[in-house]
Structures are given as structure tokens and as C-alpha cells.
């Protein structure tokens, strides 16, 4: 188990007392990091606006780094496990962001996507449309997080965090948005797009186009910041039962790191391209508020920061004694060639491990498959009209 038991117990206290915290495991690490603080509302950026304060940060979808919620590592696990200390904390505020009780409707999803694809055919653009899966469960958030960590790749940024503004979020992001050591002159990110079941075949045209949108977007902004760009050869990266096409991209030179991060966010992988048009399409065609999904999560120290896209994630809200409501978000890149059922099932494949973690269900049962995906339109329509 790579999550410290002491950290888990301290995080459990934070959940129960509504103390802002983040428990994270960066890619490649074999130990967890705990951030917790009684203060709330401090800015995530230093006064010059060019560096993050040391700690954990997160944003809502579309927000800039200057709007990030911030959790410094002010409280230790030892303090959080001290009953006398906890008694001095007082009543912490209730969460402002709560999970909703309804999932995305398949019929409405299909209707929206058919209208959107007709528009996208005309301008060869891409828009990422997500679906929301709402489920009530007796699985506690930290138990769900522990199970999720045991399932996902060690190359992901695994996190659970809470602030009054955001509520509780659990996720495991395979997508680095930007990392930078302040004195190095080196910026790193990845282009991660395209989704399929693991295969030795060549990637199809739709997935290649979707991936190239992201690569071209990053390359443009790196060069616009006068960075010398290097794009590594594409490789396949597995995430559970699916794989993505991935390219590591580095830039060398001097620029304002926060300004560059702001330009890269939201990434086309979670928004689309052209970004402004795609952002507008999301507001028009998506049937829910993304909240933190598609935003950024990350950690910083005095030397630099690493920011990741908030995806493969869910919002958690307590709704009754021992009952929690989970809102799982997953999506895919929609182009003029997209089929609604295929996109629905692609999102299901991305949500599968998280759904299993929060429900504690067997991944091979019919109930799990039916809850997330359909074998054809006839099954989808018959299930919808029941």
C-alpha cells in the first residue's frame, strides 16, 4: 500500500471535520503527500503572479491559475490525529459545491451530439463533450480513493482533496498539463488524446486527427512563448482497459511559467479546438456543470510546480447517514465523424475503474456493464424508456 496509513487517518479526520486537505501521490512516487490547512481563500500564486505558493492547488474548469483554490501543508498528520487540537478548530463551513442526483440522459445526449457533429463537419473542429454518472453508495470517499489507487497506473497523478468551494474530489489523471522547475528553463507536458482498446493496429483517422489537434495547440503556444520545442515519438499509454496516444513535449527557453500554463488551460484534450469555439459548444451542448472536471490539479514547492488535468475524476457529497453521492465525469473528443453511441461507450470505458471503486462492484457483472454502456442503439433505447 503506497498510501500512508497515518495520512489516511488524518484525511479521514479532515473529511469528518470539513478541514481543507489534499492527499496526493505524484506519478512514479511510492509514497503519499498530505496537505492540510485551517486557512481558506489564500491566493495560490505568489505576489508577483509568476510562481505558485508551495502547496496543493486546483481550479474549476476554465478558470485561470490566479483563481485556483490553495491548500498549504500547514497541518501535520500528527496534529490532525490529536483530539485536543481538533477541538480547537471550531465549526468549519459546509461545502458550496454538491453532487447532483441525476445522470446524463442518453436520448438527450444523442440529440445534442447529432446537432453538434453537423456543425463540426463544416469547420473540421473538435469539441469534448462529457457525460455525468450519478450513483449513491455506502463506500466512504477515502475507501473509494484507496481502491482506485490500487487499480490505476503508477504513472498517474492520484488525488483526493476537499475545500469548501470545491467539495470532495477523487481522481487519477494521466495527463500532465505543465511541469516546470523555475531555474531550469525547461517546460514539459504531454499531448494525450485518442482512445481505444489496446491494439497493435495503426490508429484510425479520427483518433489521429483528435490527437494532432492537441499536439498542434501545445506546439503553437510553446513557440508563441519563444521556446525551443521538441516533440518525442508517439507512444501508446494504457489506462485500465483502454489506451491513449501520447507524445512527450518539452520546451526550452525563458518565459513566464504561469502565463504559459494559463495559455495551455483548458487543454484541447478536455475542451476541443479551436478552444474558444469548443468552450462555447460545451456551454451550449453539455447538460451539466463540469465544476472541477477539466480544470487543473497540482502541487508546487519552492523549486517549481507540476499541474495536471483534472480527469478520470468524481465529485463526492455526503447525503445521509453512511450514504454518499458520487458524480463521475468522463468524456470524449467529438468531431464531424463521431457516432453518439460510440462516444457514450468510450466515456463509459474511461469511467469504468472509478465506477467500480465507488460502488465496490465486480467489474465482470452485468450490472456494471449495463449501468455504463450499451451494445447497440436498440438496447440503449429500450433501457431508456423503461
Amino acid at each position: 500500500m503506497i498510501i500512508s496509513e497515518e495520512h489516511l487517518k488524518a484525511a479521514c479526520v479532515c473529511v469528518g471535520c470539513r478541514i481543507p486537505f489534499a492527499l496526493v501521490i505524484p506519478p512514479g512516487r511510492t509514497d503519499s503527500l498530505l496537505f492540510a490547512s485551517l486557512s481558506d481563500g489564500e491566493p495560490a500564486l505568489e505576489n508577483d503572479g509568476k510562481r505558485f505558493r508551495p502547496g496543493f492547488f486546483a481550479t474549476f474548469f476554465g478558470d485561470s491559475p490566479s483563481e485556483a483554490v490553495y491548500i498549504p501543508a500547514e497541518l501535520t498528520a500528527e496534529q490532525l490525529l490529536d483530539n485536543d487540537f481538533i477541538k480547537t478548530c471550531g465549526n468549519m463551513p459546509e461545502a458550496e459545491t454538491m453532487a447532483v442526483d441525476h445522470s446524463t440522459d442518453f436520448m438527450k445526449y444523442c440529440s445534442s451530439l447529432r446537432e453538434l457533429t453537423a456543425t463540426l463537419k463544416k469547420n473540421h473542429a473538435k469539441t469534448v463533450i462529457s457525460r455525468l454518472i450519478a450513483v449513491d453508495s455506502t463506500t466512504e470517499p477515502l475507501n473509494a480513493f484507496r481502491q482506485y489507487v490500487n487499480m490505476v497506473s503508477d504513472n498517474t497523478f492520484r488525488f483526493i482533496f476537499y475545500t469548501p468551494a470545491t467539495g470532495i474530489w477523487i481522481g487519477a489523471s494521466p495527463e500532465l498539463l505543465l511541469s516546470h522547475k523555475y531555474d531550469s528553463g525547461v517546460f514539459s507536458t504531454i499531448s494525450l488524446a485518442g482512445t481505444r482498446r489496446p491494439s497493435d493496429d495503426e490508429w484510425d483517422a479520427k483518433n489521429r486527427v483528435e490527437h494532432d489537434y492537441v499536439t498542434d495547440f501545445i506546439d503553437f503556444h510553446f513557440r508563441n512563448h519563444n521556446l525551443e520545442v521538441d516533440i518525442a515519438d508517439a507512444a501508446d499509454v494504457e489506462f485500465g482497459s483502454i489506451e491513449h496516444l501520447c507524445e512527450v513535449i518539452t520546451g526550452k527557453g525563458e518565459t513566464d511559467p504561469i502565463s504559459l500554463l494559463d495559455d495551455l488551460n483548458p487543454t484541447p484534450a478536455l475542451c476541443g479546438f479551436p478552444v474558444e469555439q469548443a468552450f462555447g459548444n460545451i456551454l451550449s451542448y453539455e447538460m451539466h456543470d463540469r465544476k472541477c472536471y477539466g480544470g487543473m490539479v497540482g502541487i508546487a514547492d519552492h523549486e517549481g510546480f507540476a499541474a495536471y488535468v483534472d480527469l478520470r475524476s468524481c465529485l463526492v457529497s455526503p447525503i445521509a447517514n453512511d450514504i454518499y453521492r458520487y458524480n463521475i465525469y468522463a468524456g470524449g473528443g467529438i468531431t464531424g465523424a463521431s457516432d453518439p453511441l460510440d462516444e457514450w461507450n468510450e466515456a463509459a470505458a474511461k469511467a469504468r475503474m472509478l465506477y467500480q471503486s465507488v460502488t465496490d462492484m465486480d467489474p465482470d457483472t452485468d450490472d456494471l456493464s449495463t449501468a455504463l454502456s450499451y451494445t447497440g442503439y436498440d438496447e440503449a433505447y429500450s433501457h431508456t424508456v423503461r
Side-chain angles (χ1 to χ4, degrees), residues 48-61:
D48 63 2
K50 296 183 178 180
R51 295 189 177 208
F52 280 105
R53 298 178 187 274
F56 173 87
F57 58 89
T59 68
F60 287 87
F61 175 66

Side-chain angles (χ1 to χ4, degrees), residues 101-118:
D101 62 358
H102 53 278
S103 301
T104 301
D105 179 83
F106 178 75
M107 300 291 281
K108 293 179 180 178
Y109 175 89
C110 286
S111 177
S112 292
L113 255 63
R114 288 192 175 110
E115 184 177 339
L116 177 59
T117 53

Side-chain angles (χ1 to χ4, degrees), residues 2-14 21-25 29 31-35 75-78 80-81 142 145 160:
I2 60 177
I3 309 175
S4 160
E5 286 298 324
E6 185 181 42
H7 285 174
L8 279 172
K9 291 176 182 177
C12 186
V13 171
C14 290
F21 83 97
L23 182 58
V24 305
I25 308 166
R29 292 275 300 240
D31 58 333
S32 54
L33 302 174
L34 177 68
F35 303 85
L75 301 179
T76 65
E78 184 179 10
L80 291 165
L81 295 174
L142 284 160
F145 177 61
I160 178 172

Side-chain angles (χ1 to χ4, degrees), residues 134-197:
V135 58
D136 293 349
S137 172
T138 57
T139 303
E140 297 180 352
L142 284 160
N143 285 336
F145 177 61
R146 189 206 299 253
Q147 293 184 71
Y148 198 35
V149 166
N150 289 336
M151 292 183 191
V152 299
S153 167
D154 292 343
N155 292 324
T156 58
F157 182 78
R158 292 142 287 177
F159 60 88
I160 178 172
F161 70 90
Y162 167 80
T163 74
T166 61
I168 303 171
W169 284 81
I170 297 171
S173 175
E175 185 168 352
L176 174 67
L177 184 57
L178 186 69
S179 68
H180 175 61
K181 294 296 183 183
Y182 296 127
D183 297 328
S184 69
V186 178
F187 299 82
S188 299
T189 187
I190 62 171
S191 172
L192 186 78
T195 303
R196 69 178 184 183
R197 295 187 179 278

